[in-house]
Amino acid sequence: MVDRANKPKTLVSTPGLPPQAIVTFSDDNSRVRAELPTGESVEVLLHGATVISWKDAAGDEKLWLSEAAKLDGSKAVRGGIPVVFPVFGTAPDHEQTKTLPQHGFARTSRWEFLGKSTSEDSSSLSSPSVKLDFGLSSAAAGLDPLARERWPFAFNLIYSVTLTRDSLNTGIVVTNDGEKPFDCQVLLHTYLRVKDISSVTIEGLASTPYTDKVASTTNQTHPDPLTITAETDRVYTPSSLSAAVTVSESGVPKFRVTRDNLTDVVVWNPWTNKAAGMADFEPKDGFRQMLCVEPGSVSSWQVLEQGDAFEGAQTITLV
C-alpha cells in the first residue's frame, strides 16, 4: 500500500537476478513510476489510476497530456488513459446510472496501489516487462463520496498496467461483490500523441458500423482509411474482437491497438471549437497532436449478478 508509514521510495531489484524494472513513488504518494532496465517507462497517477506518461527507451512520449490537466485530484485528468466506469458519457434514461457524472467515478477516485510483478528470469533479458496493479472498491476510502450515494452497489475493480519494450497493456476486472445485480460500461480513454493530425490515418474500421455522436446518426460505415478533418466522436462496433486498429502518420504505421473482450472502439478528436471550450485543454491547438482511440464496452450494458466478473483489456503496440 502506498500510504503506509516508512514505505520504501523504490522497490529495488532482487540480488542475483538479471536487471529488472524499478518502481518508484513520488514524494507526495500521488503517482507510481516504473522503468524497464532498457529505459522504457510508464507513470500512473493514483487519482483515477490514470496513466499520464508512456515513454520509449529514447524518452519519446507516446501519450498526449494537456498542459492544463489537473493532477491534484480536483477533477478527472485531461489526457493519458483515464478509466471510464460504470457509465460512458451520461445515461439519463438508465435508472442505475442516470445521476452519475459524465464517464462515472473511477477516473475521479483515488485508487490503491496493490503491487508490481516483473519478468525476472534469464529468458526475459531481451523482453523485460513490469505489471502494476491498482484497486478500487465500494469499501475503499478513496472512492468518490458521491459514488456511494448515487451508485449503491458492492463492487471491486482491479486495474493492471503492463509495460514491455514495445507495448503498453491496460486491463480491468470488474466484480460484483454484493447481492444486487448491476449494469456497467467500461472504456479505456486513450489519448495517443501524434505529430500532426492532418497526416494521420486510421485503418481497421472499414465497413464497421458506427454511431456518429457529432452528427447524431447511427449505423454509418466508411471505407479505409479514416482521416480526421473536423470534430470527431464516433463509437465503432467491429464484428470481430481480433480486428486491430492501426494509426499511421504520413503513411508509416505508428500504433496498433488490439482489444480483449472489449466490443467497441471510440475515435475522438475535439477539433477547434470543442477544444476552445474546454478549460483544461491546453494548448488550444493541441488537438493537432492527439487522437483518442478508446477500446471499451459501451454500446450496451454488462449485467453482473452476484459474484459475476467482467474482464477487458487493450494492448497498444509500437509498430
Side-chain angles (χ1 to χ4, degrees):
M1 294 180 60
V2 173
D3 294 324
R4 68 188 186 277
N6 302 317
K7 69 171 181 64
K9 288 297 180 185
T10 303
L11 302 182
V12 296
S13 301
T14 304
L17 290 176
Q20 58 181 286
I22 295 178
V23 177
T24 56
F25 306 98
S26 63
D27 290 338
D28 62 357
N29 290 339
S30 68
R31 62 189 71 182
V32 183
R33 184 178 185 275
E35 182 175 344
L36 296 179
T38 45
E40 297 81 2
S41 66
V42 66
E43 190 168 355
V44 184
L45 194 69
L46 291 183
H47 176 64
T50 308
V51 181
I52 56 174
S53 176
W54 169 32
K55 295 180 180 179
D56 64 17
D60 292 331
E61 181 61 63
K62 305 304 176 184
L63 300 176
W64 185 87
L65 183 69
S66 168
E67 294 177 3
K70 303 297 184 183
L71 305 182
D72 60 358
S74 61
K75 66 178 298 183
V77 176
R78 176 69 65 188
I81 310 179
V83 178
V84 173
F85 174 89
V87 60
F88 172 62
T90 58
D93 297 326
H94 185 260
E95 183 62 30
Q96 292 184 6
T97 60
K98 65 182 182 181
T99 61
L100 289 177
Q102 178 167 301
H103 293 338
F105 53 77
R107 64 179 191 152
T108 56
S109 297
R110 181 181 172 92
W111 294 57
E112 179 185 7
F113 177 61
L114 301 178
K116 69 145 186 175
S117 56
T118 60
S119 54
E120 298 180 341
D121 58 272
S122 58
S123 64
S124 68
L125 286 174
S126 61
S127 56
S129 67
V130 59
K131 181 165 75 77
L132 307 175
D133 291 325
F134 304 86
L136 180 70
S137 73
S138 50
L143 182 65
D144 185 334
L146 285 177
R148 287 192 181 89
E149 175 185 343
R150 298 179 177 180
W151 206 69
F153 299 97
F155 70 91
N156 186 63
L157 306 179
I158 301 295
Y159 184 58
S160 299
V161 177
T162 304
L163 174 70
T164 73
R165 293 196 65 180
D166 63 357
S167 71
L168 185 72
N169 175 280
T170 61
I172 190 167
V173 179
V174 182
T175 305
N176 183 347
D177 287 344
E179 297 180 357
K180 296 187 296 183
F182 63 73
D183 303 341
C184 67
Q185 297 175 327
V186 172
L187 182 89
L188 305 173
H189 198 318
T190 308
Y191 290 72
L192 299 174
R193 176 175 287 275
V194 298
K195 292 180 180 178
D196 183 357
I197 193 64
S198 66
S199 68
V200 168
T201 54
I202 303 111
E203 296 178 283
L205 297 172
S207 303
T208 297
Y210 67 89
T211 296
D212 191 324
K213 300 178 72 176
V214 176
S216 299
T217 57
T218 59
N219 291 319
Q220 303 295 299
T221 61
H222 60 74
D224 262 349
L226 171 65
T227 58
I228 308 298
T229 59
E231 180 184 351
T232 302
D233 191 355
R234 299 176 176 181
V235 181
Y236 290 83
T237 304
S239 58
S240 171
L241 279 173
S242 63
V245 176
T246 301
V247 177
S248 300
E249 288 197 76
S250 301
V252 179
K254 184 173 183 179
F255 301 104
R256 183 174 65 249
V257 181
T258 55
R259 296 163 293 123
D260 184 359
N261 202 37
L262 296 175
T263 55
D264 306 303
V265 179
V266 175
V267 178
W268 183 73
N269 184 290
W271 212 250
T272 308
N273 293 338
K274 189 87 169 183
M278 293 186 287
D280 61 351
F281 196 101
E282 291 289 349
K284 292 305 179 188
D285 64 353
F287 67 88
R288 299 187 183 279
Q289 280 76 54
M290 54 77 60
L291 172 69
C292 284
V293 177
E294 314 163 30
S297 183
V298 298
S299 58
S300 60
W301 296 89
Q302 296 295 326
V303 181
L304 300 188
E305 303 286 344
Q306 181 180 9
D308 283 352
F310 171 80
E311 183 172 359
Q314 69 167 343
T315 299
I316 312 167
T317 303
L318 303 178
V319 183

